[in-house]
Amino acid sequence: MEEEKMTENEVKSETKNELGTEQVGKLIAKFSIPATISMLVSSLYNIVDQIFIGQGVGLLGNAATNIAFPISIICTATALLLGIGSASNYNLETGAGEDKKACRIMGSGLAALVIGGVCIAVIVLLFLNPLLHVFGVTEEVLPYALDYTGITAFGIPFLILTTGGNHMIRADRNPTYSMTCMLSGAIINTILDPLFIFGFHWGIKGAAWATVIGQIFSGLMVIVYFVKFKNLNLKKEMLRPRLVYLSPIFSLGMASCINQIAMAVVQITMNNVLRYYGAASSYGAEIPLACAGVISKVNMVFMAICIGISQGCQPIIGYNYGGKDYKRVLETLRKSIVLIFGIGCVFFLCFQLFPRQIIGIFGGGEEAYFRFAERYFRIYMFLTFVNGLHPLISGGFTSIGKARLGAVVSLTRQILFLLPLIVIFPIFFGIDGVMYAGPIADAAAFAVAVVFGIREVRKMKAV
């Protein structure tokens, strides 16, 4: 027993020594690459669907997926609320030696994921038509949106279980299995999309069924893990939601949930603004909806990379901040800022120089479609080269124990700046107002993040 304890202490010591002594650049690569891959894989579902739907269905199909996107965001919000909340509490309780309580929290979280997923799926199916109208659908897009969303609703319980369950699996010390769950479903979706859309000629219904089958497979892998491969001592009687455990779960998962809800609110508002002012423009309502959907998916790739790097830096920053080695904290920040800024510049150049080619990957359209997409890319995404720094600064606050400040910083762009701007600007500038709202909100949010970030850096330098 003493030898086992000694071994555990030695392992912990080595881990601490690595975080405190290994070259910062190597640590950033070691922690950021897996996190980035996981983020990219989670984005793959929407991107793959968008590409094949654009090629096989066209502009109206792309617009339909954009209309359905708020439902995906709401599902992610629910999964993060329960998944991150359960995983964080599990780590805290096991660290304090409360293994039984930790398992009960995990059991409550798992049960709540299943119940929450089924409830959301039922609500979507019962109120599908009115929900799509709230999300900004037009009469031309409605048949496609009904087909796509009506089918993908059956995958909602598995989507929520997979997204939330993977956080729990990582907390149970199995990040490889967690990544495999996400990757396997995405690969299945990628294989089935062209088969169903082009081979079976199912159109947008084929894309929806491909998505659902991939989600079911990933969800089943999560179930298999907790039945056969789990490390925690989870028993059947623990698999029921209890308020005494759900309360701390909600507490630690709420920040991530609120951020996703804010994204959903902005997306719904954006769709309705694009529909209204697009109909009054020379482009019509459908072109702006389709273009905005494609561009948001492309931006997901960029943000997945930046968020992955941010997540990879958090343990390095947190450990060295806790050890009062502020020099290494600042070195980590400096190197990650340079890395993210460089990636941002590459994406900025792609968005400015090749918008037509990028939009063409997601299918063709009339000249007005490409003309609007080019303008949208170049204006709305103008501050791409600094946008990736926002999640880094926000995540940095969370990693040093200032989660509330991190949440405030992360919400500034969506709620404080972008939401009012996309409502106010089009009143004066028409459909172009939506485009200009993007970079102005980005600049304002970046300024806020930098002000708070510099203040914290000065505190560390003064010590």
Side-chain angles (χ1 to χ4, degrees):
M1 181 67 72
E2 290 180 0
E3 290 181 359
E4 289 180 2
K5 288 183 178 178
M6 184 74 73
T7 304
E8 290 175 1
N9 290 333
E10 288 174 357
V11 170
K12 290 179 181 178
S13 177
E14 288 180 8
T15 303
K16 289 183 178 180
N17 287 337
E18 179 186 37
L19 289 170
T21 60
E22 180 63 86
Q23 293 181 16
V24 169
K26 289 183 178 180
L27 286 174
I28 292 174
K30 179 179 180 179
F31 285 92
S32 296
I33 290 174
T36 300
I37 291 173
S38 294
M39 289 297 301
L40 286 171
V41 168
S42 65
S43 304
L44 199 58
Y45 275 108
N46 290 307
I47 294 169
V48 168
D49 273 358
Q50 196 87 52
I51 291 173
F52 285 116
I53 288 171
Q55 296 289 347
V57 181
L59 182 149
L60 296 178
N62 276 334
T65 61
N66 188 39
I67 294 298
F69 195 48
I71 294 176
S72 296
I73 300 175
I74 292 169
C75 291
T76 302
T78 305
L80 294 182
L81 172 68
L82 299 170
I84 291 179
S86 299
S88 300
N89 278 285
Y90 177 79
N91 288 330
L92 288 171
E93 296 299 338
T94 52
E98 298 287 345
D99 291 350
K100 189 172 182 179
K101 182 179 179 182
C103 291
R104 291 188 182 280
I105 287 173
M106 197 73 93
S108 288
L110 277 170
L113 281 173
V114 174
I115 294 170
V118 171
C119 289
I120 292 175
V122 170
I123 290 170
V124 170
L125 289 169
L126 289 177
F127 303 101
L128 182 57
N129 198 301
L131 278 174
L132 293 177
H133 280 87
V134 170
F135 294 163
V137 75
T138 67
E139 291 307 313
E140 285 192 62
V141 176
L142 182 59
Y144 297 90
L146 285 170
D147 286 342
Y148 184 78
T149 314
I151 293 171
T152 54
F154 290 99
I156 286 175
F158 298 95
L159 169 62
I160 291 177
L161 178 61
T162 300
T163 306
N166 275 300
H167 287 280
M168 299 181 186
I169 293 172
R170 281 197 294 271
D172 197 38
R173 307 187 307 279
N174 208 328
T176 302
Y177 192 98
S178 172
M179 188 173 67
T180 303
C181 288
M182 298 293 295
L183 191 58
S184 59
I187 291 173
I188 290 172
N189 182 41
T190 304
I191 294 171
L192 294 181
D193 258 335
L195 176 64
F196 289 173
I197 294 173
F198 303 110
F200 295 171
H201 304 289
W202 288 355
I204 199 166
K205 292 181 179 179
W209 281 118
T211 298
V212 170
I213 292 171
Q215 291 169 344
I216 290 174
F217 188 87
S218 293
L220 290 176
M221 284 191 68
V222 172
I223 295 171
V224 168
Y225 177 83
F226 284 104
V227 171
K228 292 196 64 176
F229 304 119
K230 63 185 182 299
N231 295 309
L232 73 163
N233 187 23
L234 186 65
K235 298 178 181 178
K236 287 183 180 180
E237 59 267 21
M238 297 177 178
L239 293 172
R240 58 191 180 96
R242 296 179 59 185
L243 185 59
V244 66
Y245 301 127
L246 289 177
S247 180
I249 288 173
F250 291 161
S251 176
L252 292 186
M254 188 59 69
S256 297
C257 175
I258 290 174
N259 196 35
Q260 291 292 319
I261 294 297
M263 290 174 58
V265 171
V266 170
Q267 183 71 42
I268 293 168
T269 305
M270 177 85 78
N271 287 346
N272 281 281
V273 170
L274 289 171
R275 178 184 63 177
Y276 180 82
Y277 289 98
S281 72
S282 60
Y283 300 107
E286 285 74 27
I287 286 177
L289 283 172
C291 289
V294 168
I295 291 169
S296 69
K297 303 303 188 301
V298 174
N299 189 48
M300 283 174 62
V301 177
F302 167 63
M303 292 308 297
I305 296 171
C306 297
I307 294 172
I309 295 171
S310 172
Q311 290 179 350
C313 291
Q314 285 182 23
I316 309 169
I317 294 171
Y319 172 78
N320 287 287
Y321 187 88
K324 301 188 185 301
D325 191 348
Y326 301 131
K327 184 178 179 181
R328 281 178 67 82
V329 173
L330 296 175
E331 183 183 359
T332 304
L333 286 172
R334 184 170 61 253
K335 289 187 174 181
S336 57
I337 286 171
V338 171
L339 177 60
I340 289 177
F341 180 74
I343 293 169
C345 288
V346 172
F347 274 86
F348 168 78
L349 291 174
C350 290
F351 293 164
Q352 295 299 314
L353 298 177
F354 311 111
R356 182 176 287 251
Q357 289 83 349
I358 295 172
I359 206 78
I361 296 172
F362 296 85
E366 56 191 88
E367 181 58 28
Y369 171 75
F370 285 104
R371 191 167 63 249
F372 182 86
E374 288 177 335
R375 280 175 51 77
Y376 199 108
F377 251 128
R378 288 176 172 145
I379 298 173
Y380 192 81
M381 305 301 297
F382 185 74
L383 285 185
T384 298
F385 56 93
V386 297
N387 281 351
L389 300 176
H390 197 259
L392 176 66
I393 297 172
S394 174
F397 283 123
T398 302
S399 65
I400 63 174
K402 299 186 178 182
R404 185 175 298 179
L405 183 56
V408 169
V409 170
S410 69
L411 287 173
T412 52
R413 180 186 185 271
Q414 300 288 343
I415 298 299
L416 188 60
F417 300 121
L418 185 57
L419 187 59
L421 288 177
I422 59 175
V423 173
I424 295 170
F425 274 23
I427 296 174
F428 302 99
F429 306 111
I431 194 73
D432 286 356
V434 178
M435 302 183 198
Y436 290 107
I440 293 174
D442 291 338
F446 177 67
V448 170
V450 168
V451 168
F452 283 117
I454 290 175
R455 187 184 69 175
E456 198 61 42
V457 167
R458 285 176 177 171
K459 287 181 182 178
M460 285 187 278
K461 286 184 175 180
V463 176

